[in-house]
Amino acid sequence: MTNLNKLSMDQVRNSLKKGEFSAVELAKSYIQAMEKNRDLNAFITETSEIALKQAEESDKRIKAGNAGLMEGMPIAIKDLFCTKGVRTTASSKILENFIPEYESTVTSNLFSQGAVMLGKVACDEFAMGSTTLTSFFGTVKSPWKDQKGEYTVPGGSSGGSSTAVSGFMAIGATGTDTGGSIRQPASFTGLVGAKPTYGRCSRWGTIAFASSLDQAGPMTRTVRDSAIMLEAMAGYDQKDSTSANRDVPCFENAIGKSVKGMRIGIPKEYRVDGLNEEISKEWDRIAQILKDAGAELVDISLATTKYAGPVYYIIAPAEASANLSRYDGVRFGFRADGPFDNLDDMYLKTRSQGFGDEVQRRILMGTYVLSSGFYDAYFTKAQKVRRLIAEDFKQAFEKVDAILTPSSPSSAYTIGKEPKDPLEMYLSDIFTIPASMAGLPAMNVPTNLDSNGLPLGMQLISKHFDENTMFSLASVIEEAVDFQLNPNGLKE
Ligand code: GLN
């Protein structure tokens, strides 16, 4: 069998069971693809030896009839998840040489279900960004080139994950999503990216950005793979105080279920001024697909949508400024070279040299909005508006079962042509941030290519802990659009 790295998880599961190939052979095929495409720079740390060892164990368990949900599946891990004994950097110089002594709950869940780790993949530094251009370890290229033959960005912050999976260098990857970092890179690279309900996946051992928003999720090539991988990642964890003590359903059961009679909300506020014509048309086309499948389209209003971005850019930096205060040159990783005048001087030099520009900008914004003179005017007010955003969704979900919107106001930027003004870049998150604010499950489904030959994707949002509705709808869309993941910038 050739091209083992093109198969989906359910195909792999069947073939491994029948003995058509081994987990070791599968891992080798992915390692080869990873090594051939090193120029895309998705991986910060490759762990081929670990992968082969884990795959051997998988083969033993398959023979013994003890296969887990992710048995033998070669995956990439966003470099934000702590992996015991394996360098974990958050794509930052300040953690360049950090080797955790513990395993994150999400990766530990995946490994105990048989997943195989190919390596750690890049992201925007501390997951702050939408391009992966802020990684300390260099530019990551998406395997999708634009029509002029130039490489595009893989989105962000989970851009190493999206490059690895869309480039067939991993069957799936973990991502984290604080304001869109799973959904937007999935949309840029033609992948399925699911952010579950806040609390579904434990945050323990995942390097924190904004703790009230951070949520892990899977990035895969198919909707079914997304369901399989999420089930393996999710689950209650005592070590995370906001972990949801709820049973994890079989998400795979939702695939292919009829969506007849489901009510789908189309929020008018997402039809923003200047929304790209192609994306607007694509949104209508996908809504019609759901209608043809028996769903009912309902016009809804989410009036607070326009406040979600500004509120996010107060709350997320505020939480980040507190979370990142631990990187002080004493406890973890990098310390600037001395001599120092005093302790403050050591902190100052370490943090100025250890953090990149965007991270420093966020720490400054966060510290500002939390300072005593401005706390009420910014932080308290933002928390109140956040509540209103959640209320808006709650009311909408009295009328509808799910909401359909575009995932991003544009397709991928050509490298070098991305917005240079940070504020303009922040505005690109407008479609993903609202669901994050409300802690709702949301996912990207790839649907088409635009006139530049680049992937477009739509976002489905469902009720708290009702990921299955979004998976059912996503599988209907997937089947109807027959999207071909065929990036033009790969070495095979
Ligand atoms: N792009 C958003 C930001 O820069 C979201 C990042 C994320 O979800 N981690 O903050």
Side-chain angles (χ1 to χ4, degrees):
M1 242 182 163
T2 52
N3 283 344
L4 296 186
N5 61 330
K6 296 276 167 83
L7 302 174
S8 65
M9 287 190 196
D10 51 312
Q11 288 168 327
V12 163
R13 181 169 61 192
N14 289 337
S15 294
L16 286 176
K17 199 166 161 197
K18 287 195 209 141
E20 289 170 350
F21 52 80
S22 67
V24 168
E25 285 170 297
L26 179 69
K28 282 186 178 159
S29 121
Y30 273 107
I31 291 168
Q32 219 176 42
M34 169 170 87
E35 290 176 351
K36 264 194 202 153
N37 289 290
R38 277 188 181 136
D39 58 322
L40 298 182
N41 203 28
F43 287 81
I44 293 176
T45 307
E46 294 179 3
T47 57
S48 306
E49 272 174 37
I50 297 177
L52 291 172
K53 237 202 240 136
Q54 287 174 325
E56 268 173 38
E57 295 301 315
S58 278
D59 281 328
K60 284 186 205 151
R61 282 192 295 268
I62 292 162
K63 275 213 183 87
N66 288 330
L69 269 173
M70 291 288 291
E71 202 62 71
M73 305 289 173
I75 59 169
I77 307 290
K78 184 176 183 178
D79 216 10
L80 213 61
F81 293 86
C82 287
T83 40
K84 189 173 174 185
V86 175
R87 180 167 77 130
T88 301
T89 68
S91 283
S92 181
K93 175 175 177 172
I94 214 157
L95 289 176
E96 189 178 1
N97 298 310
F98 173 55
I99 299 185
E101 285 171 22
Y102 47 84
E103 190 72 43
S104 82
T105 299
V106 161
T107 46
S108 158
N109 288 348
L110 284 164
F111 297 144
S112 62
Q113 291 294 333
V116 165
M117 175 168 71
L118 292 161
K120 305 292 295 288
V121 282
C123 52
D124 279 297
E125 187 180 358
F126 284 100
M128 298 171 188
S130 311
T131 56
T132 310
L133 290 167
T134 70
S135 166
F136 173 67
F137 298 89
T139 300
V140 178
K141 296 177 195 161
S142 161
W144 292 90
K145 289 179 174 175
D146 67 13
Q147 278 207 322
K148 290 194 187 132
E150 288 183 57
Y151 280 105
T152 59
V153 301
S157 65
S158 309
S161 305
S162 63
T163 288
V165 181
S166 62
F168 302 96
M169 292 173 254
I171 198 166
T174 60
T176 63
D177 190 312
T178 304
S181 280
I182 290 174
R183 292 162 282 162
Q184 185 259 22
S187 159
F188 276 17
T189 57
L191 294 180
V192 177
K195 179 193 91 72
T197 312
Y198 180 79
R200 249 311 175 213
C201 291
S202 168
R203 288 182 295 108
W204 196 82
T206 309
I207 293 173
F209 166 9
S211 309
S212 75
L213 295 156
D214 295 345
Q215 185 55 212
M219 301 177 68
T220 59
R221 294 189 287 260
T222 73
V223 177
R224 184 181 293 273
D225 288 4
S226 183
I228 295 170
M229 189 164 167
L230 178 58
E231 190 173 333
M233 292 167 74
Y236 174 62
D237 181 10
Q238 268 190 337
K239 290 188 287 206
D240 169 3
S241 61
T242 57
S243 170
N245 196 349
R246 313 264 297 222
D247 287 341
V248 177
C250 175
F251 297 120
E252 210 184 337
N253 277 344
I255 309 301
K257 266 219 175 131
S258 165
V259 300
K260 237 190 202 122
M262 271 191 198
R263 289 157 309 165
I264 312 301
I266 310 289
K268 64 169 191 254
E269 289 78 5
Y270 282 61
R271 192 88 57 183
V272 289
D273 279 347
L275 176 63
N276 171 318
E277 180 79 6
E278 283 187 80
I279 292 178
S280 182
K281 279 200 182 131
E282 187 61 8
W283 189 9
D284 296 338
R285 183 177 81 100
I286 302 304
Q288 186 61 42
I289 284 174
L290 292 178
K291 194 170 174 196
D292 292 345
E296 184 192 334
L297 303 180
V298 183
D299 287 326
I300 58 167
S301 167
L302 294 166
T304 53
T305 300
K306 64 171 181 269
Y307 303 118
V311 163
Y312 171 87
Y313 278 99
I314 291 172
I315 293 175
E319 294 185 22
S321 71
N323 275 326
L324 270 59
S325 65
R326 73 192 68 176
Y327 307 108
D328 56 4
V330 178
R331 280 173 292 180
F332 305 95
F334 171 80
R335 176 186 293 189
D337 288 336
F340 304 111
D341 297 342
N342 51 38
L343 186 61
D344 278 348
D345 188 43
M346 191 280 286
Y347 290 155
L348 185 73
K349 288 189 173 130
T350 296
R351 287 166 67 83
S352 305
Q353 292 170 30
F355 290 131
D357 288 351
E358 183 59 28
V359 173
Q360 293 192 36
R361 185 176 298 120
R362 305 258 181 141
I363 291 173
L364 290 172
M365 285 197 290
T367 312
Y368 178 80
V369 299
L370 290 176
S371 59
S372 63
F374 298 103
Y375 190 95
D376 280 340
Y378 290 102
F379 191 69
T380 308
K381 195 163 186 184
Q383 296 288 25
K384 288 182 184 162
V385 179
R386 180 176 184 178
R387 170 62 74 83
L388 295 178
I389 295 167
E391 272 302 312
D392 249 9
F393 275 110
K394 203 170 156 210
Q395 280 179 19
F397 279 124
E398 282 166 14
K399 284 184 251 155
V400 298
D401 303 293
I403 294 170
L404 178 75
T405 80
S407 295
S408 167
S410 75
S411 59
Y413 316 112
T414 300
I415 294 176
K417 302 214 174 102
E418 66 286 344
K420 296 288 185 304
D421 174 5
L423 200 61
E424 199 184 334
M425 190 61 101
Y426 298 166
L427 287 173
S428 72
D429 301 323
I430 46 172
F431 294 154
T432 47
I433 282 175
S436 302
M437 283 288 145
L440 293 163
M443 71 191 285
N444 176 70
V445 194
T447 61
N448 214 339
L449 297 182
D450 70 3
S451 52
N452 202 10
L454 300 173
L456 295 176
M458 287 293 138
Q459 173 176 235
L460 287 161
I461 308 171
S462 54
K463 296 177 190 167
H464 288 120
F465 299 103
D466 187 22
E467 287 85 358
N468 273 345
T469 292
M470 111 186 151
F471 279 128
S472 294
L473 290 161
S475 67
V476 166
I477 296 173
E478 179 180 55
E479 187 160 330
V481 297
D482 191 25
F483 175 81
Q484 298 295 323
L485 185 70
N486 204 0
N488 50 355
L490 273 180
K491 296 201 181 74
E492 303 208 22

